[in-house]
Amino acid sequence: MGDLANSSVDFKPKKQSSGGGMEVNHAGDFGATLEDLRDLMELRGAEAIQKIQENYIDTEGLCQRLKTSPADGLSDNPSDLEKRGQVFGQNFIPPKKAKSFLELVWEALQDVTLIILEIAAIISLALSFYQPPGEESEACGNVASGAEDDGEAEAGWIEGAAILLSVVCVVLVTAFNDWSKEKQFRGLQSRIEQEQRFAVVRNGTVIQIPVAEIVVGDVAQIKYGDLLPADGILIQGNDLKIDESSLTGESDHVKKSVDKDPMLLSGTHVMEGSGKMLVTAVGVNSQTGIIFTLLGVGEGEEEKKDKKEGNYTPAVEAKQISITNGKQDGTLENNQNKAKKQDEAVAMEMQPLKSAEGGEVEAEKKKGNVPKKEKSVLQGKLTKLAVQIGKAGLVMSAITVIILVMYFVIETFVVQGREWLTECTPVYVQYFVKFFIIGVTVLVVAVPEGLPLAVTISLAYSVKKMMKDNNLVRHLDACETMGNATAICSDKTGTLTTNRMTVVQAYMGDQHFHKVPHPDQMNPKVLDTLVNAISVNSAYTSKIMPPDKEGGLPMQVGNKTECALLGFILDLKRDYAPVREQIPEEKLYKVYTFNSVRKSMSTVVQLPDGSFRLYSKGASEILLKKCTSIMAGGGEPRGFRARDRDEMVKKVIEPMACDGLRTICVAYKNLPASPEPDWEDEVGIVSDLVCITVVGIEDPVRPEVPDAIRKCQRAGITVRMVTGDNINTARAIAAKCGIIQPGDDFLCIDGKEFNRRIRNEKGEVEQERIDKVWPKLRVLARSSPTDKHTLVKGIIDSTVLEQRQVVAVTGDGTNDGPALKKADVGFAMGIAGTDVAKEASDIILTDDNFSSIVKAVMWGRNVYDSISKFLQFQLTVNVVAVIVAFTGACITQDSPLKAVQMLWVNLIMDTFASLALATEPPTESLLLRKPYGRNNPLISRTMMKNILGHAIYQLTIIFTLLFAGEKIFNIDSGRNAPLHSPPSEHYTIIFNTFVLMQLFNEINARKIHGERNVFDGIFHNPIFCSIVMGTFLMQVMIVQFGGKPFSCTPLNMEQWLWCLLVGVGELLWGQLITTVPTSRLPCLKEAGHALGKEEMIDDDMADDEQEIDHAERELRRGQILWFRGLNRIQTQMEVVSTFKRSGSFQGAARRRSSVLSQLHDVTNISTPTHVVLSTANATGATGSEFLPSINGTQQKTVHSLSLK
């Protein structure tokens, strides 16, 4: 990327004297140094203009100093561009350093269960080297009796070492997964960055270049919806308004003009208007870059992540900028309240186009600002499930250890009546450590740490594949949420239609032409006025280019509606280019650019005699209301009354709209030279217009859309069209797409009617009213961005249907930001979308095509199914392993599955199985069922039947082998073996059978809806096949050559065949289970539900609170129950203690509303008479001191509440 040293912030060339004359010491022969430009960019408004005048006379002077031309831009000379890069820096901010593999290993080591295992293994290792004095070894009981052989006695350290080695394996696998995930996201990020291009003028032509290639001196074209990629000075602007909230926190839009405030800053959004800017600072020298540098982008990012409560806030040139995790969050602390109101405004908090590093769901969203999106549905369910399983595992492992210790103590000291001898202590401790290790391994197997891994692998795999399906996923969880989508609110233009617009009908000179007329059929005066009106009053960036390949259609560049009008001029055998050359953009006197409120665009030009002419174009029914005359066939204006307008609507506009055409009106008006009109009085200026023409523009439906919509409807997803177009046009297109079908009961209304229906007398939106509208609504026409946002919010918050709605929204304009943000999944258009829309979205459709959304639904459902498959497999292993270890320990004082074997099982079932089952490719059949919805359990009754069914089979086999295996195979029994005894064939067979049953059950787990053919499509997934084969080969190696570390002894051929036969039995047993109808088993429960209604927090409350983890809510419910038991004593103690400490306490009623935000306070909610403590230190004293003593297993101290 060139020499970065030069572009660093410390580059400070010598100051030169300000003044006109060129100095010799200017950096790289440019007439301004990096330092000068940086100083200049720190000024605003009048100060900046004064500085430009002092140093450079005007912006022209600055352009000359930077060797560029305001009209033609830079030349394309590579050496000049490279030199500029070296002198002024390049336009990219060096990314944050990726975590090294070692850092990821260190993070993986932080897992609590692994730490416990490591400690236990180290103690076991240390003790294994201790030998009790030989003569007294008898006194220590049958501890050493297995160690007749010296070699065996020395091998005592192997188990400890093997456990440590297994831990290392687990850690390396986890770290490797994290590392590859990080790498994928870096790739994704660079892909997103490469997609970002910007229009600059070079050699007099406008070209699109990647943002990173912009250099100081470039002349950039800026327009509505752009995210400015560098700092610059406005050299020509029309009605330009910028949202600078990302830098200042002020949500009001700032007006920019050449003579009042020409300073444009990187990272800000163009909300209205257009213009040209001279780039004066890029990369680390731009205002955004300076802030990043102050934060040390490259390093120390993690500390900031931890400081997310109090945003890290340096003061930059007396501007306070709050940034979290290296992302601009732009909220001044004192602007917090203002920012809350921003939800409605377009200046909402937008995430930069970077994807979250490491792909975690972005928790770093602004805290006090807009409420965060709720945690993804799947994550919520999984967290809750994992907590429940973890609790059960903890209880089981604790009981296992207690039983083992009790049995040993009673057996040794009571039954055998031995005394505790000092020299025997290490031997006994060794026994206790062994018991402890067994307990911990039960816990390790019970805790499904593979769950998060499976989710990550599945999502990362899907995201990678979705790229090929034109879905660029910016937030991982969006992919999975899409599988639950029940409603899609889609734009019309460009998404459902091709966005290649052409004028096909026109009404002018009192004639309605049903196809484009020949120029001879028109009055020359009308034609000239029309050509001028269209050529001048459309963005000069919109143009028609010759086709790419021979015989192709001409290319439309820029705004497609304007391109249709320009194409209309070409069809009339005229050209727009000469008109634009005659009146270049700089000569336009005043421009009222298009926005969603005006729904029109107007341009004023000064005529040679000094008077003015205004040209206007816009939505026909809106603009016709402002017309008081119309050009007649002879080219002269004649009166146009309300009655004429109604007739025109009926006879011209409605028939056009019913053919699915967009109707656009073009008009003009002459204004006097003196007195000069008040250009700020827009309403007065754009009125009394003369209508030239009304054209009908066709935007054909994409050929693949009707089929995609049919698939959606079959999959239980309602598609709604939300468009700014005329209601008749919208209805016609909706019918062509299949959104509405004849005979259906549906609503097609416009924005005005929609607002009338959903607002009460005071003009407030009421949820009950929305609930009456949205279920039948299919088309919302002439809608404003606020209407779109209101509709999306209304559907999401609605509770009329038993299934809560999950809404996806598509958007391309700047004004769609709030709706995209509010939706469960926001899709932005990759081609037509503005930067603002892309930033607010979760997924970018790189081909702007609706059918890509259907692919996203398919992938989303696939993720959900993959997780369920993995769950079905893993829970079977969990149940069996825990029961075997527990029962074995209780009956035979030793777990039939040793610690290292458990870790191997844990590794195959957690890591490898999650890889195998999470990478199943999706099939069309996924679209044949209804969405699961938010409240659907993760584990359906069919899955529960499979889990319990297979567990019964496996447990029967294992217990048969455990208690009768030696008789069946005619081998020595492995039960009751002393410490450090050699591995037995008996226990090896049990271990081998167990693993083989899991392997075959992994094939069963591929189907979760009760399908019979579990091999269906197995060869389409090479990862699955290779993992099953690989695991099998590893198992053979472990059994035959694992020896002491794996507590295995080699088996002969016959024993192997028996083990395999029992394994294959899994497949046959699976068929048997499938035969049993689920409906016949009423005892089966579903598990892994989302939260029930009674647990949902009250909405008003939730608005101010931060999100609460589902698991925490679960814990909180548990606490409420068991705190009631403590209530009597505790209330008294707390009252006393509070009076002692602070002399005041609050009533529960007043506290209840802030319970949610006070995560770190223990809050005991029960009867209304009860007192709640809010001071954490007081709680620490009263609560945690005696809670453990009352309830041994549930020691919940203050910290256990925030389970993040």
Side-chain angles (χ1 to χ4, degrees):
M1 277 293 205
D3 185 1
L4 256 180
N6 293 336
S7 71
S8 83
V9 181
D10 303 355
F11 179 84
K12 289 193 171 74
K14 282 184 281 183
K15 275 278 204 210
Q16 92 269 20
S17 59
S18 62
M22 294 279 277
E23 304 280 324
V24 188
N25 65 350
H26 288 319
D29 301 336
F30 290 109
T33 63
L34 181 64
E35 194 76 352
D36 294 340
L37 293 175
R38 270 184 59 172
D39 290 347
L40 174 62
M41 289 319 293
E42 274 160 11
L43 304 172
R44 300 282 171 274
E47 288 177 343
I49 290 177
Q50 191 183 343
K51 178 90 177 218
I52 293 173
Q53 286 165 350
E54 279 173 16
N55 289 3
Y56 314 104
I57 306 167
D58 58 9
T59 44
E60 288 267 328
L62 180 56
C63 288
Q64 283 166 7
R65 293 272 192 102
L66 290 174
K67 300 186 176 172
T68 182
S69 141
D72 296 341
L74 295 175
S75 67
D76 257 339
N77 178 358
S79 59
D80 174 50
L81 296 176
E82 193 177 333
K83 186 176 173 190
R84 287 174 191 272
Q86 285 173 0
V87 175
F88 298 110
Q90 288 169 328
N91 195 28
F92 74 97
I93 293 169
K96 177 184 135 189
K97 203 166 105 267
K99 280 185 188 155
S100 67
F101 188 69
L102 287 175
E103 284 175 297
L104 292 169
V105 167
W106 176 244
E107 274 182 19
L109 274 169
Q110 310 297 312
D111 186 357
V112 184
T113 43
L114 287 182
I115 292 172
I116 298 175
L117 261 183
E118 286 155 26
I119 294 168
I122 290 165
I123 297 173
S124 163
L125 257 180
L127 289 171
S128 67
F129 292 115
Y130 174 84
Q131 283 286 299
E135 64 276 7
E136 288 170 23
S137 64
E138 277 307 303
C140 301
N142 66 346
V143 170
S145 58
E148 292 93 19
D149 180 357
D150 282 347
E152 270 316 329
E154 283 161 21
W157 60 273
I158 289 181
E159 182 162 23
I163 291 178
L164 283 180
L165 199 68
S166 324
V167 168
V168 168
C169 274
V170 172
V171 165
L172 287 177
V173 169
T174 313
F176 177 74
N177 273 311
D178 286 348
W179 177 78
S180 57
K181 186 178 76 178
E182 179 103 8
K183 194 160 141 266
Q184 270 187 1
F185 274 88
R186 299 243 156 219
L188 178 66
Q189 201 160 316
S190 62
R191 161 99 191 248
I192 290 176
E193 280 165 10
Q194 284 158 14
E195 298 260 313
Q196 225 181 332
R197 303 174 85 81
F198 210 80
V200 296
V201 182
R202 289 203 179 157
N203 284 340
T205 53
V206 180
I207 55 167
Q208 294 274 341
I209 60 168
V211 165
E213 289 177 19
I214 292 176
V215 292
V216 169
D218 257 325
V219 174
Q221 292 259 17
I222 56 174
K223 63 181 187 312
Y224 157 81
D226 281 344
L227 172 70
L228 298 184
D231 289 358
I233 292 172
L234 188 66
I235 47 182
Q236 181 263 318
N238 306 319
D239 200 18
L240 197 63
K241 286 186 185 160
I242 305 280
D243 168 20
E244 293 189 347
S245 62
S246 60
L247 287 177
T248 62
E250 292 291 344
S251 59
D252 300 337
H253 298 172
V254 185
K255 267 195 160 175
K256 297 283 177 183
S257 61
V258 178
D259 48 356
K260 290 202 175 67
D261 182 4
M263 310 311 270
L264 301 171
L265 305 174
S266 57
T268 58
H269 293 114
V270 182
M271 299 318 274
E272 240 180 77
S274 60
K276 278 184 186 171
M277 83 168 181
L278 169 70
V279 176
T280 52
V282 292
V284 287
N285 301 306
S286 66
Q287 291 301 304
T288 312
I290 292 170
I291 293 161
F292 277 130
T293 313
L294 280 171
L295 285 182
V297 171
E299 72 284 319
E301 218 69 7
E302 293 318 302
E303 293 83 70
K304 273 158 247 166
K305 202 181 264 185
D306 298 337
K307 288 190 199 165
K308 27 181 191 188
E309 288 308 316
N311 279 353
Y312 179 68
T313 320
V316 184
E317 299 293 330
K319 295 194 297 288
Q320 245 187 328
I321 293 153
S322 102
I323 295 203
T324 324
N325 196 5
K327 298 197 169 84
Q328 296 187 27
D329 265 11
T331 358
L332 282 172
E333 306 314 301
N334 55 354
N335 273 333
Q336 289 288 339
N337 304 337
K338 189 169 206 166
K340 272 189 183 151
K341 295 174 196 147
Q342 281 180 217
D343 193 22
E344 292 306 315
V346 188
M348 258 179 78
E349 165 235 2
M350 303 287 184
Q351 274 147 274
L353 262 176
K354 305 269 181 282
S355 180
E357 314 77 22
E360 299 311 323
V361 184
E362 298 193 308
E364 264 64 45
K365 293 196 184 163
K366 259 184 291 179
K367 289 281 175 176
N369 201 336
V370 185
K372 292 196 212 173
K373 273 192 184 175
E374 192 183 313
K375 192 168 191 169
S376 110
V377 184
L378 184 63
Q379 274 180 318
K381 290 179 183 177
L382 283 176
T383 312
K384 188 174 164 186
L385 197 67
V387 166
Q388 289 168 339
I389 296 171
K391 279 184 195 167
L394 192 64
V395 172
M396 290 291 271
S397 60
I399 297 175
T400 311
V401 174
I402 293 165
I403 289 177
L404 285 170
V405 171
M406 296 287 289
Y407 191 96
F408 174 76
V409 170
I410 292 168
E411 176 70 24
T412 310
F413 302 118
V414 179
V415 179
Q416 296 180 12
R418 294 176 188 279
E419 287 180 22
W420 185 300
L421 300 173
T422 334
E423 58 271 26
C424 288
T425 303
V427 180
Y428 294 142
V429 170
Q430 213 164 335
Y431 258 106
F432 291 144
V433 168
K434 177 184 157 190
F435 299 149
F436 182 63
I437 288 178
I438 291 171
V440 174
T441 18
V442 171
L443 181 63
V444 168
V445 175
V447 173
E449 65 269 43
L451 270 184
L453 187 66
V455 177
T456 309
I457 291 174
S458 181
L459 288 174
Y461 169 76
S462 304
V463 165
K464 209 170 176 180
K465 294 287 188 195
M466 281 168 80
M467 285 267 207
K468 295 192 176 113
D469 286 338
N470 303 310
N471 284 294
L472 182 63
V473 181
R474 295 186 57 240
H475 300 145
L476 256 193
D477 57 333
C479 161
E480 154 260 313
T481 312
M482 208 43 223
N484 279 322
T486 55
I488 298 175
C489 294
S490 171
D491 266 358
K492 175 177 77 70
T493 310
T495 315
L496 300 172
T497 59
T498 55
N499 206 11
R500 187 184 170 82
M501 304 204 187
T502 42
V503 173
V504 290
Q505 293 189 23
Y507 178 89
M508 50 190 158
D510 295 337
Q511 279 180 281
H512 186 168
F513 298 100
H514 285 278
K515 57 180 200 294
V516 178
H518 193 272
D520 301 344
Q521 295 173 269
M522 294 171 61
N523 181 298
K525 192 175 176 190
V526 177
L527 189 56
D528 283 345
T529 317
L530 179 66
V531 170
N532 284 328
I534 292 174
S535 307
V536 172
N537 185 33
S538 52
Y540 280 31
T541 47
S542 301
K543 43 185 173 285
I544 307 280
M545 308 286 276
D548 272 351
K549 46 185 183 289
E550 292 245 347
L553 292 164
M555 280 182 6
Q556 297 186 338
V557 180
N559 180 300
K560 299 296 188 267
T561 311
E562 292 183 342
C563 288
L565 291 169
L566 295 171
F568 182 46
I569 294 182
L570 299 177
D571 291 342
L572 291 170
K573 312 286 185 283
R574 300 293 284 271
D575 193 2
Y576 59 86
V579 182
R580 288 184 172 181
E581 278 162 25
Q582 196 184 340
I583 309 175
E585 205 167 358
E586 298 76 53
K587 287 204 181 156
L588 299 178
Y589 199 83
K590 171 80 184 163
V591 179
Y592 302 99
T593 50
F594 178 89
N595 66 26
S596 58
V597 181
R598 288 186 185 126
K599 289 210 187 299
S600 66
M601 170 182 177
S602 308
T603 305
V604 180
V605 290
Q606 193 162 17
L607 300 174
D609 63 0
S611 66
F612 300 97
R613 176 170 281 184
L614 169 121
Y615 293 115
S616 198
K617 70 166 189 292
S620 56
E621 58 262 56
I622 291 170
L623 211 57
L624 280 177
K625 285 180 185 157
K626 299 178 181 175
C627 291
T628 51
S629 358
I630 184 165
M631 283 186 104
E636 292 308 316
R638 64 171 167 80
F640 185 65
R641 298 184 299 276
R643 197 172 63 238
D644 302 331
R645 184 169 58 240
D646 294 343
E647 192 177 341
M648 186 155 171
V649 167
K650 216 179 260 109
K651 293 207 172 140
V652 178
I653 293 172
E654 284 184 2
M656 282 186 185
C658 291
D659 292 341
L661 305 182
R662 298 182 67 170
T663 54
I664 300 284
C665 173
V666 183
Y668 79 100
K669 174 187 182 178
N670 291 321
L671 295 148
S674 66
E676 187 171 329
D678 172 13
W679 300 115
E680 294 309 307
D681 171 26
E682 190 187 330
V683 179
I685 300 280
V686 187
S687 61
D688 298 331
L689 306 176
V690 182
C691 169
I692 308 171
T693 180
V694 172
V695 294
I697 296 179
E698 182 182 46
D699 184 8
V701 171
R702 285 176 182 265
E704 62 277 26
V705 162
D707 187 44
I709 286 180
R710 259 199 308 282
K711 280 182 186 165
C712 280
Q713 289 163 341
R714 204 170 48 224
I717 302 168
T718 311
V719 182
R720 293 181 175 83
M721 181 201 286
V722 182
T723 175
D725 234 331
N726 174 313
I727 182 136
N728 296 323
T729 311
R731 190 185 281 122
I733 298 281
K736 284 182 189 169
C737 295
I739 291 177
I740 54 181
Q741 265 121 9
D744 280 3
D745 181 18
F746 58 79
L747 265 180
C748 293
I749 54 177
D750 60 11
K752 199 179 261 176
E753 173 66 10
F754 175 67
N755 279 301
R756 193 185 64 69
R757 291 189 183 204
I758 63 166
R759 293 177 189 274
N760 59 18
E761 298 72 38
K762 293 180 191 158
E764 294 158 348
V765 176
E766 285 186 358
Q767 185 65 44
E768 306 86 77
R769 290 174 183 243
I770 295 185
D771 287 345
K772 287 181 189 147
V773 175
W774 74 259
K776 288 184 181 177
L777 183 69
R778 292 293 175 273
V779 176
L780 180 58
R782 283 280 177 251
S783 64
S784 69
T786 323
D787 295 341
K788 194 171 188 175
H789 182 262
T790 310
L791 175 66
V792 171
K793 185 175 185 304
I795 298 179
I796 289 177
D797 295 345
S798 173
T799 50
V800 282
L801 305 182
E802 73 265 23
Q803 198 184 47
R804 174 144 134 38
Q805 298 285 302
V806 177
V807 184
V809 169
T810 70
D812 53 7
T814 308
N815 46 27
D816 292 328
L820 288 170
K821 211 69 178 149
K822 178 68 196 168
D824 294 292
V825 183
F827 284 91
M829 302 297 143
I831 303 166
T834 58
D835 295 344
V836 182
K838 287 179 189 172
E839 248 177 50
S841 70
D842 302 297
I843 298 179
I844 296 173
L845 293 177
T846 49
D847 63 347
D848 287 15
N849 194 337
F850 185 84
S851 57
S852 301
I853 300 178
V854 182
K855 298 249 178 67
V857 172
M858 212 155 82
W859 276 107
R861 292 187 172 190
N862 193 51
V863 168
Y864 222 85
D865 280 8
S866 298
I867 305 303
S868 295
K869 288 171 190 174
F870 174 66
L871 261 177
Q872 176 173 309
F873 171 68
Q874 188 175 27
L875 292 180
T876 314
V877 190
N878 278 16
V879 169
V880 176
V882 171
I883 293 178
V884 166
F886 175 71
T887 328
C890 297
I891 300 172
T892 66
Q893 288 75 64
D894 186 9
S895 167
L897 297 172
K898 299 291 178 286
V900 180
Q901 295 173 350
M902 289 263 218
L903 285 170
W904 161 241
V905 168
N906 199 42
L907 189 75
I908 60 166
M909 70 181 204
D910 269 1
T911 313
F912 299 149
S914 59
L915 244 177
L917 292 167
T919 51
E920 290 270 313
T923 57
E924 285 278 334
S925 61
L926 286 166
L927 293 175
L928 297 176
R929 60 170 176 77
K930 298 280 178 269
Y932 284 142
R934 284 174 189 271
N935 312 340
N936 207 58
L938 266 181
I939 301 168
S940 63
R941 288 177 59 189
T942 310
M943 286 168 63
M944 195 57 105
K945 177 184 76 177
N946 292 343
I947 291 169
L948 297 176
H950 288 294
I952 290 167
Y953 174 80
Q954 295 184 11
L955 287 170
T956 313
I957 298 282
I958 285 176
F959 285 133
T960 309
L961 287 176
L962 180 58
F963 297 113
E966 70 272 26
K967 299 189 186 73
I968 300 169
F969 288 102
N970 194 18
I971 46 177
D972 294 335
S973 166
R975 292 194 299 281
N976 301 327
L979 201 65
H980 304 321
S981 57
S984 64
E985 278 187 341
H986 183 192
Y987 273 21
T988 307
I989 289 176
I990 293 177
F991 165 58
N992 197 22
T993 311
F994 179 69
V995 171
L996 291 177
M997 286 195 296
Q998 302 322 325
L999 263 186
F1000 285 100
N1001 194 29
E1002 199 168 327
I1003 299 173
N1004 276 329
R1006 292 185 65 244
K1007 300 293 174 210
I1008 50 173
H1009 297 300
E1011 298 93 330
R1012 279 207 175 278
N1013 182 3
V1014 290
F1015 292 100
D1016 178 35
I1018 195 164
F1019 295 114
H1020 293 168
N1021 188 358
I1023 300 178
F1024 183 88
C1025 301
S1026 47
I1027 282 179
V1028 171
M1029 283 312 295
T1031 313
F1032 179 69
L1033 293 174
M1034 283 289 290
Q1035 179 64 16
V1036 174
M1037 302 289 288
I1038 286 171
V1039 170
Q1040 297 305 99
F1041 311 106
K1044 182 78 192 192
F1046 279 96
S1047 313
C1048 285
T1049 185
L1051 300 179
N1052 60 33
M1053 198 62 198
E1054 186 193 351
Q1055 290 163 337
W1056 263 104
L1057 285 173
W1058 277 109
C1059 293
L1060 269 171
L1061 183 72
V1062 172
V1064 174
E1066 264 289 357
L1067 294 173
L1068 305 172
W1069 182 255
Q1071 293 299 314
L1072 191 70
I1073 294 175
T1074 311
T1075 314
V1076 179
T1078 314
S1079 52
R1080 289 285 175 85
L1081 303 169
C1083 53
L1084 287 181
K1085 279 276 198 297
E1086 298 163 326
H1089 282 270
L1091 299 182
K1093 285 219 177 78
E1094 73 283 350
E1095 296 162 67
M1096 288 286 186
I1097 322 158
D1098 188 25
D1099 232 20
D1100 311 342
M1101 226 146 111
D1103 273 354
D1104 312 328
E1105 313 305 349
Q1106 283 146 22
E1107 159 206 23
I1108 283 205
D1109 198 301
H1110 290 284
E1112 282 162 359
R1113 221 176 279 159
E1114 170 67 13
L1115 280 177
R1116 175 112 356 94
R1117 258 175 72 232
Q1119 273 153 342
I1120 291 169
L1121 297 175
W1122 71 276
F1123 273 147
R1124 279 187 184 152
L1126 308 174
N1127 201 21
R1128 303 287 179 284
I1129 321 163
Q1130 214 166 343
T1131 305
Q1132 292 155 14
M1133 284 196 65
E1134 282 179 1
V1135 173
V1136 174
S1137 142
T1138 316
F1139 274 126
K1140 264 192 218 158
R1141 284 167 189 284
S1142 62
S1144 72
F1145 63 90
Q1146 295 105 329
R1150 213 175 84 213
R1151 264 291 283 138
R1152 206 170 273 194
S1153 66
S1154 60
V1155 162
L1156 291 173
S1157 54
Q1158 302 285 342
L1159 278 183
H1160 40 272
D1161 299 350
V1162 169
T1163 49
N1164 317 344
I1165 304 171
S1166 65
T1167 49
T1169 55
H1170 165 66
V1171 174
V1172 177
L1173 266 187
S1174 72
T1175 43
N1177 58 356
T1179 326
T1182 58
S1184 46
E1185 269 166 26
F1186 74 37
L1187 298 189
S1189 62
I1190 291 183
N1191 188 329
T1193 53
Q1194 285 184 303
Q1195 300 185 10
K1196 292 195 175 62
T1197 56
V1198 181
H1199 302 291
S1200 71
L1201 271 171
S1202 42
L1203 225 205
K1204 278 277 176 202

